[in-house]
Amino acid sequence: MSIAHRIRIEDVTTLSDDWYTLKKTTFSFQRSDGSWQRQSRETYDRGNGATILLYDPRRRTVVLTRQFRYPAFVNGHDDLLIETPAGLLDDAEPEARIRAEVEEETGFRVREVRQVFDAFMSPGSVTERLHFFVGEYRPGDRQSAGGGIASEGEDIAVMELGIAEALAMIGSGAIRDGKTIMLLQYAALHLLPAAPPSAR
């Protein structure tokens, strides 16, 4: 259902165009009762991105990364952030971008990847739509140490965890990244479900 007819853009001001683009937009929005209300919002445009969870169904393991995230640090997270590999599309198709990104960050060259959903991660202020992928891996698929691109400030460590341990880390607060929590929960439901008690 399109809502374009309910929005009238009145003014757009660029507040910052440095790392990414921050704009302030004044617009009128037609409310549910038919009246028009003038509003103002700031939007941060960093482009769209993709993320992937590598999983080994035989060993019931997943591959995650650890890296420094300054915004999380200044908001009280005094540790490296544990995440699924991810990156901005930079005009590439989501599947092509995530294949390159996962190899840069983890060293794994994946055979097949599958997009499972996409989501707006912070729609109150950030325009980014994130494409979520999953892909199987085996230990022999690792082609390099990974670690990211040093010239871009990346210093990425690679972690291999059992799915049960990774899920427990959500509950303990060791994993706090939203995209990672979403993909781990997807894996627990659809890819690596817990075995029934009789099968243990």
Side-chain angles (χ1 to χ4, degrees):
M1 180 180 68
S2 174
I3 61 166
H5 65 283
R6 297 175 62 185
I7 302 165
R8 297 173 181 167
I9 305 297
E10 298 173 9
D11 183 67
V12 180
T13 302
T14 299
L15 303 178
S16 176
D17 192 12
D18 185 9
W19 191 249
Y20 300 114
T21 305
L22 177 64
K23 294 181 179 180
K24 179 179 180 180
T25 301
T26 301
F27 60 94
S28 291
F29 179 73
Q30 188 177 32
R31 297 174 59 86
S32 300
D33 63 5
S35 65
W36 289 86
Q37 183 179 37
R38 197 166 189 257
Q39 301 181 22
S40 181
R41 296 289 185 271
E42 292 182 6
T43 54
Y44 189 54
D45 186 354
R46 59 192 302 271
N48 295 325
T51 186
I52 188 169
L53 180 69
L54 297 182
Y55 70 101
D56 184 336
R58 291 158 290 277
R59 297 184 301 135
R60 296 181 56 79
T61 56
V62 296
V63 172
L64 302 176
T65 65
R66 296 179 75 230
Q67 61 182 305
F68 176 65
R69 295 294 199 182
Y70 183 74
F73 174 75
V74 298
N75 198 23
H77 186 72
D78 189 14
D79 198 353
L80 302 179
L81 203 64
I82 299 174
E83 306 178 43
T84 49
L88 296 178
L89 299 185
D90 294 330
D91 298 321
E93 290 299 313
E95 181 176 328
R97 184 62 235 152
I98 201 57
R99 286 181 178 275
E101 193 70 32
V102 73
E103 188 165 348
E104 289 174 6
E105 293 192 6
T106 70
F108 283 94
R109 184 170 297 165
V110 291
R111 297 182 183 89
E112 295 183 10
V113 300
R114 177 168 58 92
Q115 183 167 343
V116 290
F117 51 84
D118 64 64
F120 292 99
M121 298 303 293
S122 186
S125 58
V126 181
T127 62
E128 180 185 23
R129 176 187 290 181
L130 194 61
H131 300 266
F132 289 75
F133 288 84
V134 295
E136 290 190 30
Y137 79 97
R138 298 175 184 174
D141 294 337
R142 198 168 190 186
Q143 306 296 310
S144 70
I149 301 175
S151 62
E152 295 181 1
E154 295 180 330
D155 183 14
I156 298 172
V158 182
M159 307 172 65
E160 185 179 55
L161 301 170
I163 184 63
E165 180 182 2
L167 292 169
M169 292 170 73
I170 297 173
S172 71
I175 293 179
R176 294 181 171 178
D177 175 65
K179 65 183 181 295
T180 305
I181 293 170
M182 292 166 71
L183 277 174
L184 287 173
Q185 291 180 339
Y186 179 88
L189 289 171
H190 303 288
L191 306 174
L192 303 169
S198 59
R200 292 175 185 168

